[in-house]
Amino acid sequence: MGKIKVGILGSTGSVGQRYVNALRDHPWFEVVALSASEASVGKKYKEAAKWVLDKEMPEGMAEMEIVRATPSEIKGSGAEVVFSALPSEVARRTEMEMAKAGLFVVADTSAHRMDPDVPLLIPEVNFEHLAAVETQRKKHGGFIVTGPNCTTIGLAISLKPIQIKFGIRRVLVSTMQALSGAGFFGVPSMAILDNIIPYIKNEEEKVASELLKILGSFKEGCFENANIKVGASCHRVCVLDGHTEAVFLETEKGASPDEVAKCMSDFTSEPQRLRLPSAPERPIIVRNEPDRPQPRLDRLSGTPERAKGMATVVGRVRKEAALDNGIKYVLLSHNTIRGAAGNAILIAECLKAKGII
Ligand code: NAP
């Protein structure tokens, strides 16, 4: 059987480049359309993209001509699946137009994350929410599945096994977020060198609302939020890639740090059972050294090779005496791989493995 043809919207940006890199030799998907803004349309990808990854730009894609982000141009290329890394203000209209044209959209953008019939998906965490696409398919012909904000994703992965085993009452998180999370032109160097910026617009609200949808249930055609209290404080730091988060939580049942660490490192889910190409063998890697995880050392964690950057790395799991049944730990998650393109590709692999596309 031939590969599924895919297009990438926003292919020249921080996240778009991660797609181009990860899809260069994908066993199931073939890139047939690369799209970007009007300023890039008609240029070769190698002229339009300011390539920042250390692996060379894939030769085949370097020569491809950038097309417009319209359903007719994307469908004209033969693509059935569209990965969207558009700015969110453009994404709302464009992604819906693509779904209404019968395309299957997997989006990293925030535009449709909280829509009542759109799954907000991390395949290891809430695989069953995929059922919601059938309602959309009846309405539009195509559908949209979204991945969470890059800050929510590692947090949700680390919390899922704790939620299953011990229950969770309350979560507080303080983040140290990488520069690539703001896009290529996001934070001027004069603002961030020798500095920390203690504000990221709308980020704290997104972490709280998205986490509750992801850790909640999908019953009788409706999403129901998890009953957990969530508070977040988000900060931009001078790190290139990889969001670090200090997490504090109250479990329902008492649990020792060793029990929490064990349930995280034992955690596997549907993508591992299905042996999907981009699924990390261990979604959570727990490190015992007192000074890990660190972005430079740990952001590309995950095996096999295709899953590098897909594992959430957790360290310093310990008791928090200031909370009831309190536990605290530090996590690291690669924001443009697991936090965006890698998670979206894993979603598309799920859609294929389950026969939805
Ligand atoms: P970025 O580096 O600024 O890239 C934006 C991309 O969108 C570029 O390819 C740009 O093309 C294209 N674009 C801009 N305006 C357009 C328009 N009107 N029509 C069509 N294409 C247009 O942004 P990013 O960091 O990759 O983020 C992309 C999306 O992913 C955002 O919604 C962001 O919130 C989300 N996200 C980002 C991360 C992260 O860690 N960076 C993680 C999760 C989710 P040109 O090159 O031609 O300008």
Side-chain angles (χ1 to χ4, degrees):
M1 214 177 68
K3 291 188 182 183
I4 294 176
K5 294 186 166 52
V6 305
I8 306 170
L9 309 182
S11 64
T12 52
S14 269
V15 175
Q17 292 189 19
R18 287 287 175 193
Y19 279 113
V20 167
N21 192 47
L23 292 169
R24 66 172 76 218
D25 52 0
H26 195 281
W28 298 354
F29 305 128
E30 177 192 356
V31 178
V32 293
L34 295 175
S35 170
S37 78
E38 211 46 47
S40 302
V41 170
K43 291 183 184 163
K44 286 188 173 171
Y45 185 74
K46 67 179 182 195
E47 292 155 5
K50 211 170 175 40
W51 189 254
V52 294
L53 303 184
D54 45 18
K55 215 164 164 183
E56 286 290 314
M57 186 185 282
E59 272 176 38
M61 287 188 250
E63 297 299 327
M64 284 173 69
E65 197 173 291
I66 301 284
V67 298
R68 251 182 209 96
T70 59
S72 59
E73 295 223 13
I74 298 297
K75 286 188 90 173
S77 69
E80 289 172 68
V81 174
V82 191
F83 293 107
S84 170
L86 290 170
S88 50
E89 59 284 6
V90 187
R92 180 138 201 103
R93 196 195 66 241
T94 307
E95 289 169 1
M96 187 51 79
E97 283 172 359
M98 300 275 169
K100 286 185 174 167
L103 290 160
F104 309 127
V105 181
V106 185
D108 293 310
T109 69
S110 61
H112 293 281
R113 283 185 191 143
M114 302 311 288
D115 289 6
D117 52 6
V118 173
L120 179 51
L121 206 78
I122 307 171
E124 284 92 342
V125 175
N126 58 342
F127 189 83
E128 64 287 358
H129 290 197
L130 261 189
V133 299
E134 289 313 326
T135 319
Q136 290 188 63
R137 213 199 301 240
K138 282 187 200 129
K139 243 195 300 184
H140 308 308
F143 57 73
I144 302 171
V145 180
T146 57
N149 173 286
C150 45
T151 315
T152 314
I153 208 158
L155 180 62
I157 291 172
S158 72
L159 291 173
K160 183 66 185 183
I162 306 174
Q163 184 193 30
I164 295 171
K165 187 114 206 235
F166 304 107
I168 298 173
R169 275 197 215 118
R170 189 188 307 271
V171 177
L172 299 167
V173 62
S174 177
T175 73
M176 290 145 269
Q177 300 183 214
L179 295 173
S180 60
F184 189 78
F185 294 105
V187 187
S189 55
M190 288 301 281
I192 195 70
L193 282 172
D194 186 31
N195 211 4
I196 291 173
I197 300 173
Y199 173 66
I200 303 173
K201 194 174 173 207
N202 297 333
E203 195 80 347
E204 294 168 1
E205 296 80 356
K206 280 186 203 164
V207 171
S209 59
E210 292 181 13
L211 190 67
L212 296 182
K213 181 170 178 180
I214 295 163
L215 294 179
S217 58
F218 182 69
K219 280 190 210 138
E220 295 164 17
C222 296
F223 292 107
E224 197 175 302
N225 276 352
N227 183 17
I228 299 173
K229 290 194 168 69
V230 182
S233 182
C234 296
H235 319 103
R236 187 76 66 198
V237 298
C238 199
V239 165
L240 220 46
D241 291 314
H243 290 350
T244 303
E245 304 177 22
V247 184
F248 302 77
L249 63 103
E250 269 182 20
T251 55
E252 277 168 9
K253 278 190 243 161
S256 70
D258 284 349
E259 287 172 316
V260 170
K262 181 166 178 355
C263 85
M264 287 200 264
S265 54
D266 286 349
F267 177 63
T268 57
S269 181
E270 196 68 2
Q272 285 71 37
R273 282 190 281 281
L274 292 169
R275 304 177 83 78
L276 299 178
S278 305
E281 280 161 27
R282 294 273 152 211
I284 306 173
I285 296 171
V286 180
R287 305 216 48 134
N288 294 318
E289 304 90 324
D291 58 353
R292 302 287 279 272
Q294 294 181 23
R296 268 197 348 228
L297 303 181
D298 297 311
R299 60 190 157 209
L300 288 177
S301 295
T303 49
E305 182 69 19
R306 186 170 291 288
K308 271 178 174 291
M310 290 292 282
T312 299
V313 186
V314 167
R316 307 204 64 217
V317 184
R318 57 219 195 275
K319 260 204 157 340
E320 173 51 73
L323 295 171
D324 293 335
N325 291 339
I327 291 286
K328 61 185 168 186
Y329 57 87
V330 178
L331 73 82
L332 173 76
S333 174
H334 197 300
N335 53 296
T336 55
I337 301 181
R338 174 51 101 159
N343 191 63
I345 293 169
L346 190 60
I347 292 173
E349 291 170 0
C350 285
L351 292 168
K352 178 177 180 312
K354 289 286 172 184
I356 299 172
I357 58 172

